[in-house]
Amino acid sequence: MGRTNRRVSLVLPLLLVFCILSGVVFSVSRKISREMSASAIQNLSESLNLIKCTIEAVLRNQAEFQVLMARELARAEDLEDYILAYEKNDTMVRVSVIPAGASQGRSSTGEAFTEEAFTEEGLDFSGGRTVGGLPVSQSYLNYMGTWAYTMKCPVVRDGEEIASLYVEYIYDALDRALPEGFYDNQAVLYIMDAGSTRFVLKPKGMGMRSAGHLNLADFYRANNITDPDLHRQVAASLGEGKNILFYHDIRDVNSLSYLWPVNGGSICLVGYVALEAIQQEGRTVNQNILLVVGVMLLAFVLSYALYFFYQRQQNLLRKEQEEERERHNRQLREALQAAQIANQSKTVFLSNMSHDIRTPMNAVLGFTALLALDAENPAKVREYTRKITASGQHLLSLINDILDVSKIESGKVVLACERFSLSGVVASVDAIIQPMAAARCQQFLVEVSGVRHEYLLGDETRLNQILINLLSNAVKYTQEGGTIHFRILGQKQRSSQYERLRIEVEDNGAGMTPEYLKTIFDAFTRAENSTTNKVQGTGLGMAITKNLVELMGGTIEVTSQLGEGSLFRVDLECRVPEDQGEERFWAERGIRRMLVLRTPEAEKDADAGDGGMLLLMKDAGVETAAASTLEEALALLQEQGGASCQLALVDWDTPDPIRSVRLLREALPEDTPILVLASLGDQGPEEALRTPCTGLVTKPFFVSSLRASLLALSRETPADPEEETDRILEGMRFLVAEDNAINAEILAELLGVEGAACEIVENGQLVLERFQTARPGEFNAILMDVQMPVMNGYEATRAIRALPRERIPILAMTANAFAEDEKAALDAGMDAHVPKPLDIGYLKHVIYRLTAGKEQA
């Protein structure tokens, strides 16, 4: 009994819930039905308005054409001859004219014409109806037995009305202009003359074809519309020219009738449509809802039966559902927490930025104050200026990150597509990261392997930014004495025109938590709050990196374990230039074959260890003979002769490389170059370099590095000494455009320290005028600001380039420091771009490249 009572107590709530649910479903279905009926009525109204607009457009066109006929008639010498020459068409069946002051005229059919004798009842213009300002008669049956109407138009010549033009139109012409189909041909439509309430047209393509009605009263009688109040409402609507819709049973079918005035009420659309056609969609929805209710009832019965049959299984299922609910609640709590973090992210960012910007700014202002106090102490002055410079550089990096992410989010970043060298990218990144890693006693290892093409097309600046972001983070978050791996791995090519690269940055540093990995690429996020984190930064580096990678069409992913380190992997695809420009270099120097002494590990995998040396040299047109031991290398030379190889390369990681170099020197001709392939941190290559005609190539291996070492060894290209670069500004004279007095003063002092002189003007117009009056050779270069009053830097540069004067280097010296700003400067005719704040060292290198370096090249 207890078990039965429990079952009954369970069934009753279920029945109650089902009844409530059924009631809700039923009410919803009713509501949907009402809403869909209202929508269908709206659709009917829109269809009637479309028909109305079509008819009114036809009437206006007829009136406008009749006005044109009246103007043409006014120019005719004989009015009756003009009318008799008119031929009947499908729209205008008769044209007539009555001269002014006369009671009788002539029709195009040849008979005499008067308004009274035109029809049995005469033309009736008393209704005051017009179309386009022309009077329109009431409808009538014309001589062909077709319903028609006539428009009257005055004929005016020299400002005087000389006649009246009458044109008879038939309603059948309106039928051809109406659209096909009306409510799937389930509606009835008539066109009624509003004055006489006579039905003048039953359009052919507009619904069911029923027994014709002669007038409105006949329509009422045939469809049993006998309600006097309804008749009065219809009459009032006709009199006021208003639309009216009303429900009525027509032939035992519930229908919606309508009267729709056209042309201000001169004619009217009359008809009806069955509610069944209007509510067809709503009925379909209700049927589906009833089907759902039936399925629910069936499911309820089945569930009730299965409950008693599988009670134990249901208990287990209930327990699993409780666990699932708890898991879902936990996920909801985590999602809520993530949402709260996201909402607070920008607030936290502002707090971080307030701290991070104020920290270097405090150093700048503080050391500036101390500089004023200790101006007589040179040692302290140098220390203070060094710290001010470091703080200023850090502040500039913060600002650049904020501006970068702002431009990326606004979609204004433009990627350059220029030829660049992969070896140059690796060298520039290595030059920046190697000192940072050495300062923390970290081991920084570079590996390049499997790359088929050294020269690629892309944005070298943005690629450097990606690499430096990843590698500088690895240095920051790796403990002292840790190891950082930087790898560039060539992947299998999908096309010979593209090089697929995989870039990996791996460290054994602090690592990241799984929670932080989910948001690492979000802007304004850090692993720790900046107020407690000793590592400085905006928290924007990873967001910028991800966006730049995606702009290049690549992907980035990260794996990390807390306390074990992190691995960032970037996949990119770069286009290969049509000409790598290598074969000509080797052919000119007669280098056809190269001997390579490499490690046994590199021997096992031709694409690993040495960066795909054999493939790269093959693409450059040089055959490579590889040996893994010194004995094997000597045997190759003895077998083929020492002169068979015009170049030898010895990997420093091979056993006893110094002995190898000496023995190879003895086996090869004395003028055959021997190059040692070594890493920057290797100890001992200097002793091997004492061997005659021996040079050094730094790892990773690139063909361009090998070529540069050969040039340096043969002294074909002089080095770019730092000493020469440092003194490049000495004795130079600059013309400077700078509208900011403080910036101008700083620039003048900096150039003066370097032994250079400058003449400063305030805007581009003054620069142009001063250069026009300058003697040839008076100025060595122009430093041009961009944003200036009167004439900006771009306009001034174009004007200077248009002068018939010698070409002088023009450098954009501006705070507009983005890639597109540099492109705009070059497009305007400038030779280089030097961003503010001014780095005098960078300015020296640019001047060297444009003057001394260019001349030597």
Side-chain angles (χ1 to χ4, degrees):
M1 287 295 294
R3 189 180 296 109
T4 302
N5 289 335
R6 286 196 299 271
R7 292 175 179 175
V8 172
S9 64
L10 179 64
V11 170
L12 290 177
L14 290 176
L15 284 174
L16 179 61
V17 169
F18 180 78
C19 292
I20 294 173
L21 185 60
S22 299
V24 170
V25 171
F26 180 74
S27 63
V28 169
S29 68
R30 292 294 301 274
K31 180 181 179 182
I32 291 174
S33 180
R34 289 194 300 270
E35 291 177 352
M36 295 191 73
S37 294
S39 176
I41 293 173
Q42 178 66 24
N43 290 338
L44 174 63
S45 300
E46 292 175 357
S47 299
L48 291 171
N49 282 331
L50 175 63
I51 297 173
K52 170 184 173 181
C53 293
T54 301
I55 294 175
E56 289 177 345
V58 172
L59 294 175
R60 285 194 302 271
N61 290 339
Q62 293 174 347
E64 291 170 0
F65 186 73
Q66 186 167 342
V67 169
L68 294 176
M69 287 182 60
R71 293 174 183 172
E72 184 68 23
L73 183 60
R75 290 192 290 269
E77 295 181 0
D78 189 302
L79 300 182
E80 291 189 2
D81 288 346
Y82 181 88
I83 294 299
L84 291 173
Y86 174 77
E87 296 181 1
K88 181 178 69 170
N89 58 37
D90 293 339
T91 302
M92 299 182 293
V93 297
R94 182 159 52 179
V95 179
S96 308
V97 63
I98 299 179
S103 59
Q104 179 175 313
R106 182 70 59 186
S107 294
S108 58
T109 54
E111 71 271 17
F113 172 81
T114 63
E115 286 190 14
E116 293 76 13
F118 186 69
T119 65
E120 294 181 1
E121 301 173 355
L123 288 176
D124 186 0
F125 291 96
S126 63
R129 296 179 297 170
T130 62
V131 175
L134 302 184
V136 181
S137 71
Q138 287 191 2
S139 304
Y140 56 87
L141 281 171
N142 64 7
Y143 70 96
M144 297 185 299
T146 301
W147 284 102
Y149 56 93
T150 295
M151 291 188 196
K152 181 169 68 174
C153 177
V155 180
V156 179
R157 179 187 295 165
D158 298 329
E160 179 182 355
E161 183 175 342
I162 62 171
S164 295
L165 174 67
Y166 297 81
V167 178
E168 179 182 346
Y169 303 91
I170 59 174
Y171 280 101
D172 287 344
L174 299 179
D175 193 5
R176 292 187 293 272
L178 296 179
E180 291 291 337
F182 188 38
Y183 257 96
D184 199 20
N185 292 328
Q186 298 186 52
V188 174
L189 175 68
Y190 296 92
I191 296 180
M192 181 183 76
D193 181 80
S196 62
T197 71
R198 289 181 293 197
F199 290 177
V200 296
L201 180 64
K202 291 191 295 181
K204 297 183 177 60
M206 306 298 290
M208 297 186 299
R209 303 295 296 166
S210 58
H213 302 298
L214 300 178
N215 52 37
L216 185 59
D218 185 37
F219 180 79
Y220 286 156
R221 183 170 54 256
N223 296 309
N224 199 26
I225 303 175
T226 58
D227 186 355
D229 292 336
L230 184 57
H231 290 183
R232 284 192 293 272
Q233 292 179 17
V234 171
S237 297
L238 288 176
E240 298 174 3
K242 293 182 179 179
N243 306 328
I244 183 171
L245 293 168
F246 58 90
Y247 293 99
H248 190 74
D249 288 342
I250 297 179
R251 297 188 184 91
D252 299 326
V253 176
N254 195 10
S255 304
L256 180 63
S257 300
Y258 49 84
L259 283 89
W260 221 258
V262 179
N263 192 37
S266 62
I267 58 178
C268 190
L269 305 177
V270 180
Y272 58 85
V273 59
L275 286 180
E276 180 180 6
I278 295 178
Q279 298 177 345
Q280 183 175 358
E281 294 180 357
R283 186 169 59 255
T284 302
V285 171
N286 288 336
Q287 290 173 353
N288 291 334
I289 291 176
L290 291 176
L291 178 61
V292 171
V293 172
V295 171
M296 289 172 55
L297 178 60
L298 179 61
F300 169 75
V301 173
L302 292 176
S303 298
Y304 180 71
L306 291 174
Y307 170 77
F308 293 108
F309 189 73
Y310 297 107
Q311 187 171 10
R312 292 182 180 179
Q313 287 79 355
Q314 291 296 323
N315 289 336
L316 180 60
L317 179 61
R318 189 161 50 250
K319 185 182 296 184
E320 292 176 354
Q321 287 175 343
E322 290 174 358
E323 294 175 356
E324 177 66 23
R325 188 181 300 109
E326 178 60 29
R327 185 162 53 254
H328 181 64
N329 290 337
R330 184 169 62 254
Q331 293 173 352
L332 288 177
R333 288 193 297 268
E334 293 173 355
L336 176 60
Q337 183 179 6
Q340 291 172 342
I341 292 173
N343 289 333
Q344 295 171 359
S345 62
K346 291 199 175 181
T347 302
V348 173
F349 169 72
L350 291 176
S351 175
N352 292 344
M353 284 300 95
S354 176
H355 171 270
D356 288 350
I357 291 177
R358 288 174 186 272
T359 298
M361 183 59 71
N362 179 65
V364 171
L365 296 177
F367 284 115
T368 302
L370 293 175
L371 193 63
L373 296 175
D374 296 322
E376 305 301 326
N377 188 336
K380 287 189 175 182
V381 168
R382 283 192 293 271
E383 180 65 16
Y384 293 160
T385 53
R386 184 182 64 79
K387 293 179 178 179
I388 289 173
T389 301
S391 298
Q393 291 293 341
H394 174 56
L395 185 60
L396 182 61
S397 70
L398 296 177
I399 294 172
N400 284 339
D401 276 354
I402 295 171
L403 294 178
D404 266 350
V405 78
S406 174
K407 290 182 75 66
I408 289 172
E409 288 182 347
S410 64
K412 295 181 180 179
V413 171
V414 178
L415 294 179
C417 186
E418 299 174 348
R419 179 188 175 101
F420 69 93
S421 168
L422 203 56
S423 62
V425 172
V426 173
S428 63
V429 170
D430 186 68
I432 294 172
I433 301 302
Q434 196 71 254
M436 296 171 59
R440 295 174 59 85
C441 301
Q442 296 168 342
Q443 189 177 13
F444 179 54
L445 303 176
V446 181
E447 176 189 343
V448 179
S449 64
V451 178
R452 293 295 303 267
H453 302 92
E454 179 181 348
Y455 293 96
L456 303 171
L457 293 177
D459 194 325
E460 182 180 4
T461 302
R462 293 300 185 181
L463 181 58
N464 276 330
Q465 185 177 1
I466 292 170
L467 298 178
I468 291 172
N469 276 348
L470 295 175
L471 290 168
S472 61
N473 273 355
V475 173
K476 289 178 185 178
Y477 292 101
T478 299
Q479 69 281 1
E480 291 191 6
T483 302
I484 298 166
H485 292 270
F486 170 39
R487 308 183 189 94
I488 298 181
L489 310 174
Q491 304 293 295
K492 183 178 180 181
Q493 292 179 263
R494 298 190 182 98
S495 168
S496 60
Q497 296 180 341
Y498 288 89
E499 179 79 44
R500 293 180 61 213
L501 300 177
R502 170 164 291 178
I503 301 169
E504 292 184 349
V505 175
E506 185 176 11
D507 63 71
N508 59 353
M512 292 170 279
T513 63
E515 293 76 15
Y516 181 64
L517 282 176
K518 297 176 182 177
T519 61
I520 185 173
F521 294 116
D522 295 342
F524 319 119
T525 59
R526 292 181 180 173
E528 299 178 23
N529 189 295
S530 68
T531 57
T532 60
N533 189 0
K534 295 182 180 179
V535 177
Q536 296 177 333
T538 59
L540 298 173
M542 286 299 99
I544 293 171
T545 299
K546 182 175 186 295
N547 280 283
L548 289 178
V549 169
E550 291 177 349
L551 279 173
M552 294 180 177
T555 60
I556 183 171
E557 58 183 20
V558 56
T559 57
S560 181
Q561 295 252 345
L562 194 62
E564 297 183 9
S566 305
L567 170 62
F568 286 85
R569 182 176 288 119
V570 176
D571 288 332
L572 291 175
E573 198 166 27
C574 298
R575 189 173 180 86
V576 178
E578 293 183 1
D579 180 18
Q580 291 287 311
E582 296 291 345
E583 295 186 13
R584 181 179 176 186
F585 173 84
W586 303 103
E588 288 176 351
R589 284 154 182 80
I591 299 177
R592 302 178 303 279
R593 196 163 188 265
M594 179 177 74
L595 174 65
V596 178
L597 177 57
R598 54 183 180 171
T599 62
E601 292 76 13
E603 181 72 21
K604 295 176 183 178
D605 187 355
D607 288 341
D610 59 5
M613 182 190 306
L614 304 184
L615 294 174
L616 291 173
M617 294 307 298
K618 181 180 179 182
D619 290 340
V622 178
E623 182 184 352
T624 305
S628 58
T629 64
L630 176 60
E631 291 73 16
E632 185 181 349
L634 294 174
L636 283 172
L637 290 177
Q638 186 176 5
E639 178 183 347
Q640 301 180 4
S644 63
C645 292
Q646 295 80 38
L647 174 64
L649 183 68
V650 178
D651 193 333
W652 187 253
D653 292 331
T654 57
D656 200 355
I658 296 177
R659 177 172 174 268
S660 299
V661 170
R662 290 173 179 170
L663 293 178
L664 287 174
R665 177 77 286 157
E666 295 174 0
L668 290 167
E670 61 180 10
D671 60 344
T672 299
I674 300 177
L675 299 177
V676 178
L677 180 64
S679 301
L680 287 176
D682 287 341
Q683 301 295 325
E686 296 81 5
E687 184 177 351
L689 296 181
R690 296 191 183 99
T691 304
C693 199
T694 303
L696 178 68
V697 181
T698 58
K699 292 183 179 181
F701 176 84
F702 284 104
V703 176
S704 61
S705 302
L706 181 64
R707 185 177 62 183
S709 297
L710 283 173
L711 289 174
L713 189 61
S714 60
R715 298 180 181 175
E716 291 183 19
T717 301
D720 180 10
E722 288 294 331
E723 188 176 324
E724 187 176 351
T725 304
D726 283 341
R727 300 196 338 238
I728 189 66
L729 299 182
E730 189 174 332
M732 295 187 71
R733 180 172 175 79
F734 295 91
L735 178 58
V736 180
E738 176 58 73
D739 62 330
N740 185 285
I742 294 177
N743 289 343
E745 182 180 354
I746 292 172
L747 178 62
E749 292 294 332
L750 290 175
L751 293 176
V753 170
E754 299 296 332
C758 65
E759 182 176 332
I760 300 175
V761 295
E762 297 178 353
N763 57 61
Q765 181 65 40
L766 294 177
V767 168
L768 175 62
E769 294 173 357
R770 181 66 183 88
F771 183 70
Q772 284 177 312
T773 60
R775 300 185 308 276
E778 182 176 352
F779 296 107
N780 301 102
I782 298 176
L783 302 181
M784 183 77 74
D785 195 5
V786 171
Q787 295 185 0
M788 296 182 293
V790 184
M791 179 184 285
N792 65 38
Y794 299 143
E795 296 169 346
T797 300
R798 294 189 183 97
I800 290 173
R801 292 304 186 211
L803 294 175
R805 294 287 302 270
E806 74 279 8
R807 183 177 179 88
I808 183 173
I810 302 178
L811 283 69
M813 188 180 62
T814 172
N816 299 341
F818 291 108
E820 51 268 34
D821 300 317
E822 182 175 357
K823 183 177 184 299
L826 298 177
D827 291 343
M830 301 187 193
D831 297 284
H833 181 273
V834 180
K836 294 180 182 177
L838 180 65
D839 183 343
I840 196 68
Y842 182 68
L843 178 62
K844 289 179 184 179
H845 282 288
V846 172
I847 293 295
Y848 181 84
R849 176 170 56 85
L850 294 177
T851 57
K854 184 175 180 181
E855 291 172 4
Q856 291 177 7

